[in-house]
Amino acid sequence: MGEIEQISVPLIQENFSRPWRRAWPSHLPISLDYPHVPTWWILERNLDQFADRIAIRFLDHASLLEKQALTYSSLVTQARSLAAGLQNLRVQKGDRVAIYLPNSPELIVSFYGIWRAGAVVVPCNPMFKEQELETQVRDADACLMIASGEGAATAAAVAKKIGIPLVLTSPGAGLYAKDVIFFEGLLAEDPRHLSDVFINS
């Protein structure tokens, strides 16, 4: 990507008089320099060095047993494949993609995959009822929605009303392959087919 421009978050002088400043460690800066790059680049920049390290451990909330683990390499590959799949579905730069997912590896992959495709993430509360979800997805003008099997019925009803494609991370009751696109199918896309998208600063 060439030389990375560094930017600083603007510092408001009033911060010095705010209560938490009295407890701020003197050796720590109150602002940081961030690279002026797309978020996915931050994930991918050290891939050669950390490819085999665990990026995500997904635990069962009741037993705390590990259900799934993804290395950085797997996370990047899945995100790139999802991005290629979304581009094949004609998701373009600046399009909005709604995600109606609980905390899960698929949620993280979706964030990075959508960004990698050049689109905008519209995160929706997975506890939303149909009217709440419809209001947000319409307001965002989302062109596609990704949902879990647990939320499939609600997501399908909203997607049908609005007239957008629905991607499911797992099968949903009463929904058939002709009604939805499956997340696993998008993850099977060849990431080499991904088209790079220039993100305006």
Side-chain angles (χ1 to χ4, degrees):
M1 292 184 59
E3 188 173 332
I4 302 303
E5 179 185 352
Q6 297 288 322
I7 59 169
S8 297
V9 175
L11 184 60
I12 301 173
Q13 291 302 318
E14 290 90 322
N15 282 346
F16 288 100
S17 64
R18 293 183 178 173
W20 58 84
R21 286 291 296 129
R22 291 195 296 270
W24 197 272
S26 61
H27 65 284
L28 293 178
I30 59 174
S31 67
L32 298 172
D33 290 332
Y34 297 96
H36 198 196
V37 295
T39 305
W40 57 261
W41 181 89
I42 297 172
L43 172 67
E44 296 186 13
R45 66 176 175 173
N46 294 321
L47 187 58
D48 290 344
Q49 187 177 356
F50 301 116
D52 296 327
R53 288 196 186 181
I54 298 297
I56 301 170
R57 289 190 193 278
F58 185 50
L59 308 181
D60 178 84
H61 73 278
S63 67
L64 298 184
L65 294 175
E66 185 177 292
K67 293 174 67 175
Q68 187 179 353
L70 282 180
T71 63
Y72 281 99
S73 178
S74 296
L75 174 58
V76 168
T77 298
Q78 289 191 21
R80 288 175 177 170
S81 292
L82 177 61
L86 291 173
Q87 288 180 346
N88 283 344
L89 293 173
R90 302 200 172 151
V91 172
Q92 300 179 12
K93 175 182 173 180
D95 283 347
R96 292 160 178 82
V97 176
I99 51 176
Y100 183 55
L101 296 169
N103 287 336
S104 59
E106 292 83 3
L107 176 72
I108 299 170
V109 169
S110 292
F111 263 91
Y112 281 109
I114 293 165
W115 287 331
R116 198 66 170 84
V120 178
V121 176
V122 179
C124 302
N125 187 332
M127 302 300 290
F128 271 171
K129 304 300 183 189
E130 184 178 323
Q131 185 57 55
E132 296 168 312
L133 181 62
E134 180 183 351
T135 298
Q136 183 176 358
V137 174
R138 279 191 188 279
D139 183 64
D141 196 23
C143 68
L144 181 142
M145 180 165 29
I146 301 175
S148 65
E150 293 86 348
T154 300
V158 170
K160 185 174 182 180
K161 280 185 186 178
I162 297 175
I164 60 174
L166 175 62
V167 175
L168 284 186
T169 61
S170 56
L175 294 175
Y176 303 95
K178 66 180 178 63
D179 301 316
V180 299
I181 301 157
F182 287 107
F183 194 79
E184 283 189 5
L186 298 182
L187 295 187
E189 292 286 343
D190 188 336
R192 292 174 298 181
H193 296 159
L194 174 64
S195 298
D196 286 329
V197 178
F198 175 76
I199 304 298
N200 299 39
S201 58

